[in-house]
């Protein structure tokens, strides 16, 4: 089968590999659509970050080259021995977290904080940029009939956004800022609407993405190249209750902190390629909080229910659909060059 595989920085190749088959407790998925994630883009431009290169990942038992793709959905094609509760033909979204199940975080049910955390399509395994993926049955979530397959490919990134908002201390009627209106930032805007935020101020240099943020319910969309975003946000709110950092750009982190009120909170959602610095007194003198958030846990059913209600709509967020043979030029390179792109979906090969 065809698969898009990471070999190194700016070296993703569409290759023919053997079609995987499920072992005990595993499920084979005929992939439908897979989204290109910001994490995928980081691996393409500056990896390895999650991709294991020198040694096999302890849970996937895999290392580069690896088949990429972790935002995906499809239909159940084959069941391994011992799998119950699923049937051939079920439409499913994949929750692609590798977790050991035995570390302190896993014992507390916080499997996204696993000491050996990994992701299918980043840390090895049979990722979604292929015709067939094989995953443990616990990663498979049945999709409601009302959701399209394209919608299924957005469950994973929407789960990132919903988990981030759940991790925050936002309450109905509070104010929020979102720095960065890429796919996750835009999904955070929608998750904040679900949570009842009274004002949502978005900071984003791309005009097209600012327009999309307003379409999705942002109160304002600020161009940081034309005006001071911190001053603009503070003028409007006196300082927001919670700011979300969704850029991974070092100079943005102190802006997020400064945009919050006393006892405000900054949620760091991005995966970073390098260090970022801030003056600690900006947190100390106002008793502000910094909180990290990674991936998601126990939110896929809620995400899909919200999708049924109309949130996290693929019609609003998907800007391009491509074939797997176009994944580098029309996918990764397009995301680098065209800031008008939001979510690019890759159709699985036959």
């Amino acid at each position: 089968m065809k698969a898009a595989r990471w070999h190194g920085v700016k070296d993703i190749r569409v290759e023919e590999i053997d079609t995987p088959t499920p072992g005990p407790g595993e499920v084979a998925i005929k992939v439908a659509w897979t989204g290109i994630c910001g994490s995928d883009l980081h691996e393409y431009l500056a990896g390895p970050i999650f991709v294991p290169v020198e040694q096999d990942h302890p849970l996937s038992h895999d290392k580069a080259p690896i088949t990429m793709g972790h935002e995906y959905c499809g239909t159940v094609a084959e069941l391994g021995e011992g799998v119950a509760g699923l049937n051939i033909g079920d439409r499913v979204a994949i929750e692609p977290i590798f977790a050991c199940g035995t570390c302190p975080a896993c014992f507390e049910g916080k499997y996204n904080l696993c000491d050996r955390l990994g992701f299918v399509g980043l840390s090895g395994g049979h990722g979604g940029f292929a015709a067939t993926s094989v995953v443990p049955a616990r990663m498979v979530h049945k999709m409601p009939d009302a959701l399209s397959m394209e919608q299924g490919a957005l469950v994973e990134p929407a789960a990132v956004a919903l988990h981030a908002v759940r991790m925050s201390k936002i309450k109905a009627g509070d104010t929020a800022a979102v720095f960065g209106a890429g796919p996750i930032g835009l999904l955070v805007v929608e998750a904040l609407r679900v949570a009842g935020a009274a004002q949502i101020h978005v900071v984003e240099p791309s005009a097209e993405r600012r327009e999309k943020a307003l379409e999705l319910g942002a109160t304002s969309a600020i161009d940081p190249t034309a005006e001071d975003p911190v001053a603009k946000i503070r003028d409007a709110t006196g300082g927001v209750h919670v700011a979300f950092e969704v850029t991974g750009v070092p100079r943005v982190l102190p802006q997020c902190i400064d945009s919050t009120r006393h006892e405000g909170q900054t949620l760091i959602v991005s995966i970073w390629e390098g260090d970022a610095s801030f003056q600690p007194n900006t947190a100390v003198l106002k008793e502000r909080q910094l909180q990290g958030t990674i991936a998601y846990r126990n939110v896929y059913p809620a995400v899909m229910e919200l999708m049924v209600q109309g949130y996290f709509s693929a019609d609003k967020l998907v800007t391009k659909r491509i074939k797997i043979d176009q994944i580098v030029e029309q996918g990764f390179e397009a995301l680098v060059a065209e800031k008008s792109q939001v979510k690019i979906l890759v159709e699985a090969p036959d």
Side-chain angles (χ1 to χ4, degrees), residues 79-97:
L79 300 174
E81 181 183 346
V83 174
L86 292 168
N87 295 296
I88 305 298
D90 282 347
R91 301 159 66 253
V92 294
I94 308 305
E95 181 177 0
I97 287 183

Side-chain angles (χ1 to χ4, degrees), residues 92-173:
V92 294
I94 308 305
E95 181 177 0
I97 287 183
F98 288 121
C100 70
T102 58
C103 72
C106 284
F107 271 127
E108 292 176 19
K110 298 174 181 177
Y111 54 89
N112 62 318
L113 306 182
C114 176
D115 288 344
R116 291 179 281 179
L117 177 69
F119 297 88
V120 175
L122 286 172
S123 310
H126 305 289
F129 292 138
T132 298
S133 170
V134 168
V135 295
R138 61 179 170 76
M139 295 184 180
V140 176
H141 294 262
K142 290 184 185 179
M143 290 167 49
D145 292 340
L147 296 186
S148 69
M149 277 301 198
E150 286 193 6
Q151 199 66 56
L154 289 183
V155 175
E156 197 276 349
V160 172
L162 186 61
H163 178 69
V165 170
R166 282 183 164 191
M167 289 296 294
S168 79
K169 61 179 188 180
I170 198 85
K171 299 188 296 294

Side-chain angles (χ1 to χ4, degrees), residues 44-55:
Y44 177 68
L45 295 173
I49 299 170
F50 286 105
V51 175
V53 174
E54 300 295 332
Q55 297 181 329

